[in-house]
Amino acid sequence: MKTPFTLSLAAGLVAGVLAAPTLAADNLAGFHNDMGGCQNCHSDANHPTDDNLTFENEQCQSCHGDLAEVAESEQNVEHSPHLSHLPGEPACTSCHSGHEKSVVYCDSCHSFEYDMPFGGKWERQEPSIDALVKANSDREKALKAAPRATTDIVVIGSGGAGLSAAVAAHDKGAKVIVLEKEPLVGGNTKLAAGGMNAAMTQQQKAKGIEDSLALMTEDTMKGGRNINDPALVEVLVGHSAASVDWLTGLGADLNDVGRMGGASVNRTHRPTGGAGVGAHVVQVLYDNANQRDIDIRFNSRAVEIIKDEAGQVKGVLVNGAHTGYYWIKAEAVVVATGGFGRNNDRVSELDPKLKGFAATNHPGATGDGLDVAKNAGAAMQDLEYIQAHPTLSVAGGVMVTEAVRGNGAILVNRDGKRFVNEITTRDKASAAILEQEGKTAFLIFDDSVRHSLKKIERYIELGVVPTNASLKALGEAQGIDGAELEKTVARYNEFVASGQDADFARPNLPRSLNQGSFYAIEVTPAVHHTMGGVKIDNQSEVLGDDGKVIKGMFAAGEVSGGVHGANRLGGNAISDIVTFGRLAGENAAKFVKQ
Ligand code: FAD
Ligand code: MEZ
């Protein structure tokens, strides 16, 4: 039967608009078409004019209001999807698709049961980079055509590394275009929780924390099993305080300083009160990029770095989700595409024991940058080193930050017993959890830990943190031996009082667990960080298989290898991406000026 929202093929053709099958009753385009034709959403009857869908989103907002206004009308809804914790300005079309089923972007990490208009189930089917660069007529046509844009530098990826590079390059006088394949800014960076490591900062000094470059270097090398590239570690550590200053100069708050696994002192910087670091840093960088009028293109996948006959970078081939293939002319490119933790095929090929593991990562962490860079001649290193984060919430599918342990939580098994130094490096903590019954464990803490870290409120809001005033009752409700749990916590509190953990030699014992209510989160390890990647030198220049610099090609952040060796320390990635992102941006700008 023909519904009011279904157009016939003939009617579609007569109107000179999109073909009928994409305007069915079960998608938004069909619905809106019935209210006034394609022009209801598009300025051009046939195509969106840009991949950000700028015009289309303005149309949504002109009728429905912006994100904040829609959220305002949903105050009684539990977890309003429009009260997003995501940074930037998530566009309506990030979730509401016109010609396909709409999917809630949040469900790429969570699983909410929203009643979404014309909604479908979250799934991601993305052609591989290799499939996209295989000879095909659209690609050939785009490469033969004039470039659609010309700039000095193309930055691929809008995570922390990409945005740092873009802002730094702009401030050195270069014109920059940022390409982002997702509809949203921020990559994995926007999810970062625990903080950013840096040594010898003003924030540490204000809190009387004694640290040194040598100590941060030693911790980083030890955590990385001493296979890190020492020249890259020197840059990471040596620039860490300057990177904190750079971010605070741009408007960031990094005044809270805590401890992460494998660190000898408190050096993990995050916003006051212990809010998540990543969304804040991305918002600051994104605002700064916008203030500088940097052109950020969403839904824009970089598929190929184009080089001239002399092997020098000439531009980037893009596959726009709505505008198809085109190329941008540029003299330099910064690859800042992040890691591949969300691509379990790639992960398990490199480390078979991680097959089928869940991941903490955002959906775009598939490893495109490795293929793009490799096809352009880049060498790779340490790809086989892939890290699991010990504490993914079993109920919520969200990573529970290491800062919860750093601020005092303990880990127990179903027998109610501790089994590991909770703030050891995460490879050791993950291995220890996988040895427990059910391959899960429980984070146990009290109100004093809760109130020390704002981030915990987020997990409570998500409903993944069972609580009880009685430790015994809490344990029993979770299938933990409650009587034993009480004994374990009492013994742990004695260690806090004496300053010595006689069982597992935990080096920081910040507080006793004896205030207010108790909390338990069931956790299990999940793929988290990919240590290996594109080979770079200490100027963020990409090296080829012959060890020589590829002219005009820079890389920064999780796409690169060598900084973290075999195992990254918690808090060192944000430091890495900001420092190497800035370096890549500044050096790319210098390169194009030469
Ligand atoms: P990303 O932030 O992932 O950005 C890369 C961007 O490139 C993405 O937006 C991606 O979509 C885009 N992209 C990929 N391919 C293409 C393409 N072909 N074309 C265009 N765009 C493309 N580290 C810490 O130090 N401290 C923490 O507290 C911390 N917490 C974390 C919590 C979670 C849940 C996760 C997942 C990671 C955490 N990390 C933390 C690690 C850290 O967040 C990441 O390693 C880091 O943010 C990576 O930054 P990046 O800029 O290199 O990549
Ligand atoms: O560096 C990280 O990945 C990190 C600190 C994560 C976290 O537990 O917050």
Side-chain angles (χ1 to χ4, degrees), residues 539-588:
Q539 298 302 313
S540 256
E541 296 169 305
V542 173
L543 304 176
D545 283 320
D546 56 3
K548 292 197 180 127
V549 166
I550 301 178
K551 286 209 158 72
M553 195 167 156
F554 300 80
E558 198 173 335
V559 72
S560 63
V563 181
H564 307 290
N567 177 56
R568 176 177 67 77
L569 289 189
N572 266 3
I574 299 300
S575 212
D576 164 6
I577 65 177
V578 176
T579 289
F580 284 93
R582 287 169 59 208
L583 199 60
E586 288 177 6
N587 285 337

Side-chain angles (χ1 to χ4, degrees), residues 447-463:
D447 268 337
S448 80
V449 175
R450 174 180 175 178
H451 297 313
S452 73
L453 198 69
K454 276 190 188 154
K455 187 76 191 168
I456 292 177
E457 300 307 319
R458 302 304 237 173
Y459 310 131
I460 292 174
E461 278 163 27
L462 281 174

